[in-house]
Amino acid sequence: MRWKLISSRRGSAAWKGVGPATSIALKAGQGEGDPITSREIAVAERMPGHSPLIASGRTETTSWLITPWHDGPSTWDVLHTVRTPVIFFAVPQWDRWPPGPA
């Protein structure tokens, strides 16, 4: 298995493991990243049909999980539009409402 670090920030890290027959994702959270990774494990365990988890584990300070690797855009990229603030260009002047001649 060859490993490549994909992301490492705020206590969470993700690696892509490439083997002869398959690719997997290994995610680990420690410190600030532990509750986020723990929640991801809990949600994956409750997915209807089947869990995408190959393996997972927890200690007092660290959570980790292994899932199949899926090629495509990251969830960070896909969810970009919901993180982008909405800018309102026209704000009414309440002292001149309704608009019209003064």
Side-chain angles (χ1 to χ4, degrees):
M1 184 77 48
R2 291 185 336 263
W3 294 98
K4 177 182 177 186
L5 180 64
I6 301 300
S7 174
S8 181
R9 61 187 181 90
R10 295 191 324 236
S12 295
W15 294 266
K16 179 180 182 179
V18 178
T22 191
S23 295
I24 60 173
L26 168 61
K27 300 177 185 178
Q30 187 173 32
E32 186 180 343
D34 177 48
I36 297 166
T37 305
S38 290
R39 176 155 173 76
E40 186 173 350
I41 292 168
V43 169
E45 289 172 339
R46 289 167 180 79
M47 291 180 80
H50 74 290
S51 170
L53 294 176
I54 295 171
S56 65
R58 297 179 179 105
T59 69
E60 288 183 24
T61 60
T62 304
S63 299
W64 60 270
L65 62 101
I66 298 173
T67 62
W69 180 268
H70 297 285
D71 286 319
S74 69
T75 52
W76 179 261
D77 292 338
V78 170
L79 297 174
H80 171 75
T81 56
V82 294
R83 289 190 313 276
T84 304
V86 176
I87 300 171
F88 294 96
F89 292 99
V91 178
Q93 298 295 318
W94 295 110
D95 61 336
R96 296 187 62 207
W97 195 260

Coordinates of all heavy atoms in Angstrom, one line a residue:
M1 N 0.9 -1.2 0.0 CA 0.0 0.0 0.0 C 0.9 1.2 0.0 O 1.8 1.4 0.8 CB -0.9 0.0 1.2 CG -1.9 1.0 1.4 SD -3.4 1.0 0.4 CE -4.1 -0.7 0.6
R2 N 0.7 2.1 -1.0 CA 1.4 3.4 -1.0 C 0.4 4.5 -0.4 O -0.8 4.5 -0.7 CB 1.7 3.8 -2.4 CG 2.8 3.0 -3.1 CD 3.2 3.4 -4.5 NE 2.2 4.2 -5.2 CZ 1.3 3.8 -6.1 NH1 1.3 2.5 -6.4 NH2 0.4 4.6 -6.7
W3 N 1.0 5.3 0.5 CA 0.2 6.3 1.2 C 0.6 7.7 0.7 O 1.7 8.1 0.5 CB 0.4 6.2 2.7 CG -0.1 5.0 3.2 CD1 0.6 3.8 3.5 CD2 -1.4 4.7 3.6 NE1 -0.2 2.9 4.0 CE2 -1.5 3.3 4.0 CE3 -2.6 5.4 3.5 CZ2 -2.7 2.7 4.5 CZ3 -3.8 4.8 3.9 CH2 -3.8 3.5 4.4
K4 N -0.5 8.6 0.5 CA -0.3 10.0 0.2 C -1.1 10.8 1.1 O -2.3 10.6 1.3 CB -0.7 10.2 -1.3 CG -0.6 11.7 -1.7 CD -1.1 11.9 -3.1 CE -1.0 13.4 -3.4 NZ -1.6 13.7 -4.7
L5 N -0.5 11.8 1.8 CA -1.2 12.7 2.7 C -2.0 13.7 1.8 O -1.5 14.3 0.9 CB -0.2 13.5 3.5 CG -0.9 14.5 4.5 CD1 -1.7 13.8 5.6 CD2 0.2 15.4 5.2
I6 N -3.3 13.7 2.1 CA -4.3 14.5 1.3 C -4.6 15.8 2.0 O -4.6 16.9 1.4 CB -5.6 13.7 1.0 CG1 -5.3 12.4 0.3 CG2 -6.6 14.6 0.3 CD1 -4.7 12.6 -1.1
S7 N -4.7 15.8 3.3 CA -5.1 16.9 4.1 C -4.6 16.8 5.5 O -4.7 15.7 6.1 CB -6.7 17.1 4.0 OG -7.1 18.2 4.9
S8 N -4.2 17.9 6.1 CA -3.8 17.9 7.5 C -4.0 19.3 8.1 O -3.3 20.2 7.7 CB -2.4 17.5 7.7 OG -2.0 17.5 9.0
R9 N -5.1 19.5 8.9 CA -5.4 20.8 9.5 C -6.3 20.6 10.7 O -7.1 19.7 10.7 CB -6.0 21.7 8.4 CG -7.3 21.3 7.9 CD -7.7 22.3 6.7 NE -9.0 21.9 6.2 CZ -10.2 22.3 6.7 NH1 -10.2 23.2 7.7 NH2 -11.3 21.9 6.2
R10 N -6.1 21.5 11.6 CA -6.9 21.6 12.8 C -7.2 20.2 13.5 O -8.3 19.9 13.9 CB -8.3 22.2 12.5 CG -8.1 23.7 12.1 CD -9.4 24.4 12.0 NE -10.6 23.6 11.6 CZ -11.3 23.9 10.6 NH1 -11.1 25.0 9.9 NH2 -12.4 23.2 10.2
G11 N -6.1 19.4 13.6 CA -6.2 18.1 14.3 C -6.8 17.0 13.5 O -7.0 15.9 14.1
S12 N -7.0 17.2 12.2 CA -7.5 16.1 11.4 C -6.6 15.9 10.2 O -6.0 16.8 9.7 CB -8.9 16.5 10.8 OG -9.9 16.5 11.9
A13 N -6.4 14.6 9.9 CA -5.6 14.3 8.7 C -6.2 13.2 7.9 O -7.0 12.4 8.4 CB -4.2 13.8 9.2
A14 N -6.0 13.2 6.6 CA -6.5 12.2 5.7 C -5.5 11.8 4.7 O -4.7 12.6 4.2 CB -7.7 12.8 4.9
W15 N -5.4 10.5 4.5 CA -4.4 9.9 3.6 C -5.2 9.1 2.6 O -6.2 8.5 2.8 CB -3.5 9.0 4.3 CG -2.5 9.6 5.3 CD1 -1.3 10.1 5.0 CD2 -2.8 9.9 6.6 NE1 -0.7 10.6 6.2 CE2 -1.7 10.5 7.2 CE3 -3.9 9.7 7.5 CZ2 -1.6 10.9 8.5 CZ3 -3.8 10.0 8.8 CH2 -2.7 10.6 9.3
K16 N -4.6 9.0 1.4 CA -5.1 8.0 0.3 C -4.1 6.9 0.3 O -2.9 7.1 0.1 CB -5.2 8.7 -1.0 CG -5.7 7.8 -2.1 CD -5.8 8.5 -3.5 CE -6.3 7.5 -4.6 NZ -6.4 8.2 -5.9
G17 N -4.6 5.7 0.4 CA -3.8 4.5 0.3 C -4.1 3.8 -1.0 O -5.3 3.5 -1.3
V18 N -3.1 3.5 -1.8 CA -3.3 2.9 -3.1 C -2.6 1.5 -3.1 O -1.4 1.4 -2.8 CB -2.7 3.7 -4.2 CG1 -2.9 3.0 -5.6 CG2 -3.4 5.1 -4.3
G19 N -3.4 0.5 -3.3 CA -2.9 -0.9 -3.4 C -3.1 -1.5 -4.7 O -3.6 -0.8 -5.6
P20 N -2.7 -2.7 -4.9 CA -2.8 -3.4 -6.2 C -4.2 -3.6 -6.7 O -4.5 -3.6 -7.9 CB -2.1 -4.7 -6.0 CG -2.0 -4.9 -4.6 CD -2.1 -3.6 -3.9
A21 N -5.2 -3.7 -5.7 CA -6.6 -4.0 -6.2 C -7.6 -2.9 -5.8 O -8.6 -2.8 -6.4 CB -7.0 -5.3 -5.5
T22 N -7.2 -2.0 -4.9 CA -8.2 -1.0 -4.4 C -7.5 0.2 -3.8 O -6.3 0.1 -3.5 CB -9.2 -1.6 -3.4 OG1 -10.2 -0.7 -3.2 CG2 -8.5 -1.9 -2.1
S23 N -8.2 1.3 -3.6 CA -7.7 2.5 -2.9 C -8.6 2.7 -1.7 O -9.8 2.5 -1.8 CB -7.7 3.7 -3.8 OG -6.8 3.5 -4.9
I24 N -8.0 3.2 -0.6 CA -8.8 3.5 0.6 C -8.4 4.8 1.1 O -7.4 5.4 0.7 CB -8.5 2.4 1.7 CG1 -7.0 2.4 2.1 CG2 -9.0 1.0 1.2 CD1 -6.7 1.5 3.2
A25 N -9.3 5.3 1.9 CA -9.1 6.6 2.6 C -8.9 6.3 4.1 O -9.7 5.6 4.7 CB -10.3 7.5 2.4
L26 N -7.9 6.8 4.7 CA -7.7 6.7 6.2 C -7.8 8.1 6.7 O -7.1 9.0 6.3 CB -6.3 6.1 6.5 CG -5.8 6.2 7.9 CD1 -6.7 5.5 8.9 CD2 -4.4 5.7 8.0
K27 N -8.7 8.3 7.7 CA -8.9 9.6 8.3 C -8.6 9.5 9.8 O -9.1 8.5 10.4 CB -10.3 10.2 8.1 CG -10.6 10.3 6.6 CD -12.0 10.8 6.4 CE -12.4 10.8 4.9 NZ -13.8 11.2 4.8
A28 N -7.9 10.4 10.4 CA -7.7 10.4 11.8 C -7.9 11.8 12.4 O -7.5 12.8 11.8 CB -6.2 9.9 12.1
G29 N -8.5 11.8 13.6 CA -8.7 13.1 14.3 C -8.1 13.0 15.7 O -8.3 12.0 16.4
Q30 N -7.4 14.0 16.1 CA -6.8 14.1 17.4 C -7.0 15.5 17.9 O -6.9 16.5 17.2 CB -5.3 13.7 17.3 CG -4.7 13.6 18.7 CD -3.2 13.0 18.6 OE1 -2.5 13.3 17.6 NE2 -2.8 12.3 19.6
G31 N -7.2 15.6 19.2 CA -7.4 17.0 19.8 C -8.7 17.6 19.2 O -9.8 17.0 19.3
E32 N -8.6 18.7 18.6 CA -9.7 19.4 18.0 C -10.4 18.6 16.9 O -11.6 18.7 16.7 CB -9.2 20.8 17.5 CG -10.3 21.7 16.9 CD -9.8 23.0 16.4 OE1 -8.7 23.3 16.7 OE2 -10.6 23.6 15.6
G33 N -9.7 17.7 16.3 CA -10.2 16.9 15.2 C -10.9 15.7 15.7 O -11.7 15.0 14.9
D34 N -10.7 15.2 16.9 CA -11.3 14.0 17.4 C -12.8 14.0 17.4 O -13.4 13.1 16.9 CB -10.7 13.7 18.8 CG -11.3 12.5 19.4 OD1 -11.4 11.4 18.7 OD2 -11.8 12.5 20.6
P35 N -13.5 15.0 17.9 CA -14.9 15.0 17.9 C -15.5 15.0 16.5 O -16.6 14.4 16.3 CB -15.4 16.2 18.7 CG -14.2 17.0 19.1 CD -13.0 16.2 18.7
I36 N -14.9 15.6 15.6 CA -15.3 15.7 14.2 C -15.2 14.3 13.6 O -16.2 13.8 12.9 CB -14.5 16.7 13.4 CG1 -14.8 18.1 13.9 CG2 -14.9 16.6 11.9 CD1 -13.8 19.1 13.4
T37 N -14.1 13.6 13.8 CA -13.9 12.3 13.2 C -14.9 11.3 13.9 O -15.4 10.4 13.3 CB -12.5 11.8 13.3 OG1 -11.6 12.8 12.7 CG2 -12.2 10.5 12.7
S38 N -15.0 11.4 15.2 CA -16.0 10.6 16.0 C -17.4 10.7 15.4 O -18.1 9.7 15.3 CB -15.9 10.9 17.5 OG -14.7 10.5 18.1
R39 N -17.8 11.9 15.1 CA -19.1 12.1 14.6 C -19.2 11.5 13.2 O -20.3 10.9 12.9 CB -19.5 13.6 14.5 CG -20.8 13.8 13.8 CD -21.4 15.1 14.3 NE -22.6 15.4 13.5 CZ -23.8 14.9 13.7 NH1 -24.0 14.0 14.6 NH2 -24.8 15.2 13.0
E40 N -18.2 11.6 12.4 CA -18.2 11.0 11.1 C -18.4 9.4 11.2 O -19.1 8.8 10.4 CB -17.0 11.3 10.3 CG -17.0 10.8 8.9 CD -15.8 11.3 8.0 OE1 -15.1 12.2 8.5 OE2 -15.7 10.8 6.9
I41 N -17.7 8.9 12.2 CA -17.8 7.4 12.4 C -19.3 7.1 12.8 O -19.9 6.1 12.3 CB -16.8 6.9 13.5 CG1 -15.4 7.1 12.9 CG2 -17.1 5.5 13.9 CD1 -14.3 6.9 14.0
A42 N -19.8 7.8 13.8 CA -21.2 7.6 14.3 C -22.2 7.7 13.1 O -23.1 6.8 13.0 CB -21.5 8.5 15.4
V43 N -22.1 8.7 12.3 CA -23.0 8.8 11.1 C -22.8 7.7 10.2 O -23.8 7.1 9.7 CB -22.8 10.2 10.5 CG1 -23.5 10.3 9.1 CG2 -23.2 11.3 11.4
A44 N -21.6 7.3 9.8 CA -21.4 6.2 8.9 C -21.9 4.9 9.4 O -22.5 4.1 8.6 CB -19.9 6.1 8.6
E45 N -21.8 4.7 10.7 CA -22.3 3.4 11.3 C -23.9 3.3 11.2 O -24.4 2.3 11.2 CB -21.9 3.3 12.8 CG -20.4 3.1 12.9 CD -20.0 3.1 14.4 OE1 -20.7 3.8 15.2 OE2 -18.9 2.6 14.7
R46 N -24.5 4.5 11.1 CA -26.0 4.5 11.1 C -26.6 4.7 9.7 O -27.8 4.8 9.5 CB -26.5 5.6 12.0 CG -26.3 5.3 13.4 CD -26.5 6.5 14.3 NE -26.3 6.3 15.7 CZ -25.1 6.2 16.3 NH1 -24.0 6.3 15.6 NH2 -25.0 5.9 17.6
M47 N -25.8 4.7 8.7 CA -26.3 4.8 7.3 C -27.1 3.6 6.9 O -26.8 2.5 7.2 CB -25.1 5.0 6.3 CG -24.4 6.3 6.5 SD -23.0 6.5 5.3 CE -24.0 7.0 3.9
P48 N -28.3 3.9 6.3 CA -29.2 2.8 6.0 C -28.6 2.0 4.8 O -27.8 2.4 4.0 CB -30.5 3.5 5.5 CG -30.1 4.9 5.2 CD -28.8 5.2 6.0
G49 N -28.9 0.7 4.9 CA -28.4 -0.2 3.9 C -27.1 -0.9 4.3 O -27.1 -2.0 4.7
H50 N -26.0 -0.1 4.3 CA -24.7 -0.6 4.8 C -23.8 0.5 5.2 O -24.0 1.6 4.7 CB -24.1 -1.5 3.7 CG -23.5 -0.7 2.6 ND1 -24.2 0.0 1.7 CD2 -22.2 -0.4 2.3 CE1 -23.5 0.7 0.9 NE2 -22.2 0.4 1.2
S51 N -22.9 0.2 6.1 CA -22.0 1.2 6.5 C -20.8 1.3 5.5 O -20.3 0.2 5.1 CB -21.4 0.9 7.9 OG -20.3 1.7 8.2
P52 N -20.3 2.5 5.1 CA -19.2 2.6 4.2 C -17.9 2.3 5.0 O -16.8 2.3 4.3 CB -19.2 4.0 3.8 CG -19.9 4.8 4.9 CD -20.9 3.8 5.5
L53 N -17.9 2.0 6.3 CA -16.7 1.8 7.0 C -16.1 0.5 6.7 O -16.8 -0.6 6.7 CB -16.9 1.9 8.5 CG -17.4 3.3 9.0 CD1 -17.7 3.2 10.5 CD2 -16.3 4.3 8.8
I54 N -14.8 0.5 6.5 CA -14.0 -0.8 6.4 C -13.6 -1.1 7.8 O -13.6 -2.3 8.2 CB -12.8 -0.7 5.4 CG1 -13.4 -0.5 4.0 CG2 -11.9 -1.9 5.5 CD1 -12.3 -0.1 3.0
A55 N -13.1 -0.1 8.5 CA -12.7 -0.3 9.9 C -12.7 1.1 10.6 O -12.6 2.1 9.9 CB -11.3 -0.9 10.0
S56 N -12.8 1.1 11.9 CA -12.7 2.4 12.7 C -12.3 2.0 14.1 O -12.4 0.9 14.5 CB -14.1 3.1 12.6 OG -15.0 2.3 13.3
G57 N -11.9 3.1 14.8 CA -11.5 2.9 16.2 C -11.4 4.2 16.9 O -11.4 5.3 16.3
R58 N -11.4 4.1 18.2 CA -11.4 5.3 19.1 C -10.5 5.0 20.3 O -10.5 3.9 20.8 CB -12.8 5.7 19.5 CG -13.7 6.1 18.4 CD -15.1 6.4 19.0 NE -16.1 6.8 18.0 CZ -17.0 6.0 17.6 NH1 -17.2 4.8 18.1 NH2 -17.9 6.5 16.6
T59 N -9.8 6.1 20.7 CA -9.2 6.1 22.0 C -9.7 7.3 22.8 O -10.6 7.9 22.3 CB -7.6 6.1 21.9 OG1 -7.3 7.4 21.4 CG2 -7.1 5.1 21.0
E60 N -9.1 7.6 23.9 CA -9.6 8.8 24.7 C -9.3 10.1 23.9 O -10.1 11.0 24.1 CB -8.9 8.8 26.0 CG -9.4 7.8 27.0 CD -8.7 7.9 28.4 OE1 -8.3 9.1 28.7 OE2 -8.7 6.9 29.1
T61 N -8.3 10.1 23.1 CA -8.0 11.4 22.4 C -7.9 11.3 20.9 O -7.7 12.3 20.2 CB -6.6 11.8 22.9 OG1 -5.6 10.8 22.5 CG2 -6.6 12.1 24.4
T62 N -8.1 10.1 20.3 CA -8.0 10.0 18.9 C -9.1 9.1 18.3 O -9.5 8.1 18.9 CB -6.6 9.3 18.5 OG1 -5.6 10.1 19.1 CG2 -6.4 9.3 17.0
S63 N -9.6 9.5 17.1 CA -10.5 8.6 16.4 C -10.0 8.4 15.0 O -9.3 9.3 14.4 CB -11.9 9.3 16.3 OG -12.5 9.5 17.5
W64 N -10.2 7.3 14.4 CA -9.8 7.0 13.0 C -10.8 6.1 12.3 O -11.6 5.4 12.9 CB -8.4 6.3 13.0 CG -8.4 5.0 13.7 CD1 -8.1 4.8 15.1 CD2 -8.6 3.7 13.2 NE1 -8.2 3.5 15.4 CE2 -8.5 2.8 14.2 CE3 -9.0 3.3 11.9 CZ2 -8.7 1.4 14.0 CZ3 -9.2 1.9 11.7 CH2 -9.1 1.0 12.8
L65 N -10.8 6.2 11.0 CA -11.7 5.4 10.2 C -11.0 5.1 8.8 O -10.2 5.9 8.3 CB -13.0 6.1 10.0 CG -13.1 7.4 9.3 CD1 -13.5 7.2 7.9 CD2 -14.1 8.3 10.0
I66 N -11.4 4.0 8.2 CA -11.0 3.6 6.9 C -12.2 3.4 6.1 O -13.1 2.7 6.5 CB -10.1 2.4 6.9 CG1 -8.8 2.6 7.7 CG2 -9.7 1.9 5.5 CD1 -8.0 1.4 8.0
T67 N -12.3 4.0 4.9 CA -13.4 3.8 4.0 C -12.8 3.6 2.6 O -11.6 3.9 2.3 CB -14.3 5.1 3.9 OG1 -13.5 6.2 3.4 CG2 -14.9 5.4 5.3
P68 N -13.7 3.1 1.6 CA -13.2 3.0 0.3 C -12.9 4.4 -0.2 O -13.5 5.4 0.2 CB -14.4 2.5 -0.5 CG -15.2 1.8 0.5 CD -15.0 2.6 1.8
W69 N -11.9 4.6 -1.1 CA -11.6 5.8 -1.7 C -12.5 6.0 -2.9 O -12.7 5.1 -3.7 CB -10.1 5.9 -2.2 CG -9.8 7.2 -2.8 CD1 -9.8 7.5 -4.1 CD2 -9.3 8.4 -2.2 NE1 -9.5 8.8 -4.3 CE2 -9.2 9.4 -3.1 CE3 -9.1 8.7 -0.8 CZ2 -8.7 10.6 -2.8 CZ3 -8.7 9.9 -0.5 CH2 -8.5 10.9 -1.5
H70 N -13.1 7.2 -3.0 CA -13.9 7.5 -4.2 C -13.3 8.7 -4.9 O -13.1 9.8 -4.3 CB -15.3 7.9 -3.7 CG -16.1 6.8 -3.0 ND1 -16.6 5.8 -3.7 CD2 -16.3 6.6 -1.7 CE1 -17.1 4.9 -2.8 NE2 -17.0 5.4 -1.6
D71 N -13.0 8.5 -6.2 CA -12.4 9.6 -7.0 C -13.5 10.6 -7.3 O -14.7 10.3 -7.4 CB -11.9 9.0 -8.3 CG -10.6 8.3 -8.1 OD1 -9.7 8.8 -7.3 OD2 -10.4 7.2 -8.7
G72 N -13.1 11.8 -7.4 CA -14.0 12.9 -7.7 C -13.7 14.1 -6.9 O -12.7 14.1 -6.1
P73 N -14.5 15.2 -6.9 CA -14.3 16.4 -6.2 C -14.5 16.1 -4.7 O -15.2 15.2 -4.3 CB -15.3 17.4 -6.7 CG -16.4 16.5 -7.3 CD -15.8 15.3 -7.8
S74 N -13.7 16.8 -3.9 CA -13.9 16.7 -2.4 C -15.2 17.3 -1.9 O -15.8 18.2 -2.6 CB -12.7 17.4 -1.7 OG -12.8 18.8 -1.9
T75 N -15.6 16.9 -0.8 CA -16.8 17.5 -0.2 C -16.6 19.0 0.0 O -17.5 19.8 -0.1 CB -17.2 16.9 1.1 OG1 -16.1 16.8 2.0 CG2 -17.8 15.5 0.8
W76 N -15.3 19.4 0.3 CA -15.0 20.8 0.5 C -15.3 21.6 -0.8 O -15.9 22.7 -0.8 CB -13.5 21.0 0.9 CG -13.1 22.4 1.1 CD1 -12.5 23.2 0.2 CD2 -13.3 23.2 2.2 NE1 -12.2 24.4 0.7 CE2 -12.8 24.5 1.9 CE3 -13.9 23.0 3.5 CZ2 -12.8 25.5 2.8 CZ3 -13.9 24.1 4.4 CH2 -13.4 25.3 4.0
D77 N -14.9 21.0 -1.9 CA -15.2 21.7 -3.2 C -16.6 21.7 -3.5 O -17.2 22.7 -4.0 CB -14.4 21.0 -4.3 CG -12.9 21.2 -4.2 OD1 -12.5 22.2 -3.5 OD2 -12.1 20.4 -4.7
V78 N -17.3 20.6 -3.3 CA -18.7 20.4 -3.7 C -19.6 21.4 -2.8 O -20.5 22.0 -3.3 CB -19.2 19.0 -3.4 CG1 -20.7 18.9 -3.6 CG2 -18.5 18.1 -4.5
L79 N -19.2 21.6 -1.6 CA -20.0 22.5 -0.7 C -19.6 23.9 -0.7 O -20.0 24.7 0.1 CB -20.0 21.9 0.7 CG -20.7 20.5 0.8 CD1 -20.5 20.0 2.2 CD2 -22.1 20.5 0.4
H80 N -18.7 24.3 -1.6 CA -18.2 25.7 -1.7 C -19.3 26.7 -1.7 O -19.3 27.7 -1.0 CB -17.3 25.8 -2.9 CG -16.9 27.3 -3.1 ND1 -16.0 27.9 -2.3 CD2 -17.3 28.2 -4.0 CE1 -15.9 29.2 -2.7 NE2 -16.7 29.3 -3.8
T81 N -20.4 26.4 -2.5 CA -21.4 27.4 -2.7 C -22.2 27.7 -1.4 O -22.7 28.8 -1.2 CB -22.4 27.0 -3.8 OG1 -22.9 25.8 -3.5 CG2 -21.7 27.0 -5.1
V82 N -22.3 26.7 -0.5 CA -23.1 27.0 0.7 C -22.2 27.7 1.8 O -22.7 28.3 2.7 CB -23.7 25.7 1.3 CG1 -24.7 25.1 0.4 CG2 -22.6 24.7 1.7
R83 N -20.9 27.8 1.5 CA -20.0 28.5 2.4 C -19.8 29.9 2.0 O -19.3 30.8 2.7 CB -18.6 27.8 2.6 CG -18.7 26.6 3.3 CD -17.2 26.1 3.6 NE -16.4 26.1 2.4 CZ -16.3 25.2 1.5 NH1 -17.1 24.1 1.6 NH2 -15.5 25.3 0.4
T84 N -20.1 30.2 0.7 CA -19.9 31.6 0.1 C -21.0 32.5 0.7 O -22.2 32.2 0.5 CB -20.0 31.5 -1.4 OG1 -19.0 30.5 -1.8 CG2 -19.7 32.9 -2.0
P85 N -20.6 33.6 1.3 CA -21.6 34.6 1.8 C -22.4 35.2 0.7 O -21.9 35.4 -0.5 CB -20.8 35.6 2.5 CG -19.4 35.5 1.9 CD -19.2 34.1 1.4
V86 N -23.7 35.4 1.0 CA -24.6 36.1 0.0 C -24.4 37.6 0.2 O -24.4 38.1 1.3 CB -26.0 35.7 0.3 CG1 -27.0 36.4 -0.6 CG2 -26.2 34.2 0.2
I87 N -24.2 38.3 -0.9 CA -24.0 39.7 -0.9 C -25.3 40.4 -1.4 O -25.7 40.1 -2.5 CB -22.8 40.2 -1.7 CG1 -21.6 39.5 -1.1 CG2 -22.7 41.7 -1.7 CD1 -20.3 39.7 -1.9
F88 N -25.9 41.3 -0.6 CA -27.0 42.0 -1.1 C -26.6 43.4 -1.6 O -25.9 44.1 -1.0 CB -28.0 42.2 0.1 CG -28.6 40.9 0.6 CD1 -28.1 40.3 1.6 CD2 -29.7 40.4 -0.1 CE1 -28.6 39.1 2.1 CE2 -30.2 39.2 0.3 CZ -29.7 38.5 1.4
F89 N -27.0 43.7 -2.9 CA -26.5 44.9 -3.5 C -27.4 46.1 -3.3 O -27.0 47.2 -3.2 CB -26.3 44.7 -5.0 CG -25.2 43.7 -5.3 CD1 -25.5 42.4 -5.6 CD2 -23.9 44.1 -5.3 CE1 -24.4 41.5 -5.9 CE2 -22.8 43.2 -5.5 CZ -23.1 41.9 -5.8
A90 N -28.7 45.8 -3.1 CA -29.6 46.9 -3.0 C -30.2 46.9 -1.6 O -30.9 45.9 -1.2 CB -30.7 46.8 -4.0
V91 N -30.0 47.9 -0.8 CA -30.6 48.0 0.6 C -31.5 49.2 0.6 O -31.0 50.3 0.2 CB -29.5 48.1 1.6 CG1 -30.1 48.3 3.0 CG2 -28.6 46.9 1.6
P92 N -32.7 49.1 0.9 CA -33.6 50.2 0.9 C -33.2 51.3 1.9 O -32.8 50.9 3.0 CB -35.0 49.6 1.2 CG -34.8 48.3 1.8 CD -33.4 47.8 1.3
Q93 N -33.4 52.5 1.6 CA -33.2 53.6 2.5 C -34.6 53.8 3.3 O -35.5 54.3 2.7 CB -32.8 54.9 1.8 CG -31.5 54.8 1.0 CD -30.4 54.5 2.0 OE1 -30.3 55.2 3.0 NE2 -29.5 53.7 1.6
W94 N -34.6 53.4 4.5 CA -35.9 53.3 5.2 C -36.4 54.7 5.5 O -37.6 54.9 5.7 CB -35.7 52.6 6.5 CG -35.4 51.1 6.3 CD1 -34.3 50.5 6.5 CD2 -36.3 50.2 5.7 NE1 -34.3 49.2 6.1 CE2 -35.6 49.0 5.6 CE3 -37.6 50.2 5.2 CZ2 -36.2 47.8 5.0 CZ3 -38.2 49.1 4.7 CH2 -37.4 47.9 4.6
D95 N -35.5 55.7 5.5 CA -36.0 57.1 5.7 C -36.7 57.7 4.5 O -37.3 58.7 4.5 CB -34.9 58.0 6.2 CG -33.8 58.1 5.2 OD1 -33.6 57.2 4.4 OD2 -33.1 59.1 5.2
R96 N -36.6 57.0 3.3 CA -37.2 57.4 2.1 C -38.1 56.3 1.6 O -38.1 56.0 0.4 CB -36.1 57.7 1.0 CG -35.3 59.0 1.5 CD -34.4 59.4 0.4 NE -35.2 59.9 -0.7 CZ -34.7 59.8 -2.0 NH1 -33.5 59.5 -2.2 NH2 -35.5 60.2 -3.0
W97 N -38.8 55.6 2.4 CA -39.6 54.5 2.0 C -41.1 54.9 2.0 O -41.5 55.5 3.0 CB -39.4 53.3 2.9 CG -39.9 52.0 2.3 CD1 -41.1 51.4 2.6 CD2 -39.3 51.2 1.3 NE1 -41.3 50.3 1.9 CE2 -40.2 50.1 1.0 CE3 -38.2 51.3 0.5 CZ2 -39.9 49.2 0.1 CZ3 -37.9 50.4 -0.4 CH2 -38.8 49.3 -0.7
P98 N -41.9 54.6 1.1 CA -41.6 54.0 -0.2 C -40.8 54.9 -1.1 O -40.8 56.1 -1.0 CB -43.0 53.7 -0.7 CG -43.9 54.7 -0.1 CD -43.3 55.0 1.2
P99 N -40.1 54.2 -2.0 CA -39.3 55.0 -2.9 C -40.2 55.9 -3.8 O -41.3 55.6 -4.1 CB -38.5 54.0 -3.7 CG -39.2 52.7 -3.6 CD -40.0 52.8 -2.3
G100 N -39.6 57.0 -4.2 CA -40.4 57.9 -5.1 C -39.9 59.3 -4.8 O -39.0 59.6 -4.1
P101 N -40.6 60.3 -5.4 CA -40.2 61.7 -5.2 C -40.3 62.1 -3.7 O -41.2 61.6 -3.0 CB -41.2 62.5 -6.0 CG -42.0 61.5 -6.8 CD -41.8 60.2 -6.2
A102 N -39.4 62.9 -3.3 CA -39.4 63.3 -1.9 C -40.5 64.3 -1.6 O -40.9 65.1 -2.4 CB -38.0 63.9 -1.6

